[in-house]
Amino acid sequence: MMKETLTGIRAGSYLAYFSEQGLARLEFPSDRRNRKPAEGATADLPPGLCRWRAITRKAVEQALAGRKPAVLPALDLAAGSAFQREVWKALLTIPPGQTRTYAQVAALVGRPKAVRAVGQACGANPIPVLIPCHRVVSSDGGLGGFSAGIEWKKRLLAAEGRAGFG
DNA sequence: AAACGGCAAAATG
DNA sequence: CATTTTGCCGTTT
């Protein structure tokens, strides 16, 4: 499978992990599932690292401001299953300020009944904020959950001008 | 093989 | 309405 994360970059308040394929994981302070920063050998840094790092910083900045990032860095989603990657790709199509229900996302990936599985996939999203798992809400008008803490979800949606959730 | 979710729709009071 | 089943599906143990 994919090699474990090669290198970690601290930038501002988050920690970005890059593999040779691109950005593999983003961790924010209150993210629950953070592991030990795996130090990468400075020798074999991913080729595009310098560029990716800059792009990532800009993209996160814009995303946190509630705007659509002009450009995203290359993403390495190899860690996920085929199903999860489909879901994550689908999430990327949801514009800022908009939301979809877990059911709608399930339909988007062609598995209308795999609603709970979609929930799981969202929770497994390795690149929060840039892959907008926070724009997925429950059908009953509620927020649904959020692995990094529901407050983040509220905050992100609020930043996108989405009233009624915060 | 069984249990577990960031769910949803139907049934029930 | 608010709660409680019941059905579903990919992951994880």
Side-chain angles (χ1 to χ4, degrees), chain A residues 127-139:
Chain A
I127 311 180
V129 181
L130 293 189
I131 295 181
C133 51
H134 58 278
R135 299 192 191 123
V136 189
V137 300
S138 38
S139 292

Side-chain angles (χ1 to χ4, degrees), chain A residues 37-60:
Chain A
E39 302 293 333
T42 43
D44 45 64
L45 289 176
L49 184 62
C50 297
R51 194 164 26 110
W52 292 340
R53 191 191 69 165
I55 297 176
T56 299
R57 188 170 66 79
K58 188 73 176 176
V60 169

Side-chain angles (χ1 to χ4, degrees), chain A residues 18-97:
Chain A
F18 296 88
S19 77
E20 291 175 2
Q21 322 307 319
L23 176 62
R25 201 153 60 91
L26 268 186
E27 280 178 5
F28 291 81
S30 52
D31 195 329
R32 282 169 189 163
R33 54 193 167 138
N34 38 16
R35 312 172 189 166
K36 290 288 183 184
E39 302 293 333
T42 43
D44 45 64
L45 289 176
L49 184 62
C50 297
R51 194 164 26 110
W52 292 340
R53 191 191 69 165
I55 297 176
T56 299
R57 188 170 66 79
K58 188 73 176 176
V60 169
E61 195 176 312
Q62 294 172 129
L64 288 181
R67 305 182 41 78
K68 180 185 179 68
V71 294
L72 291 180
L75 303 180
D76 178 8
L77 305 181
S81 68
F83 174 78
Q84 292 172 326
R85 288 195 301 267
E86 292 244 5
V87 171
W88 299 336
K89 269 173 48 183
L91 299 189
L92 286 170
T93 71
I94 312 177

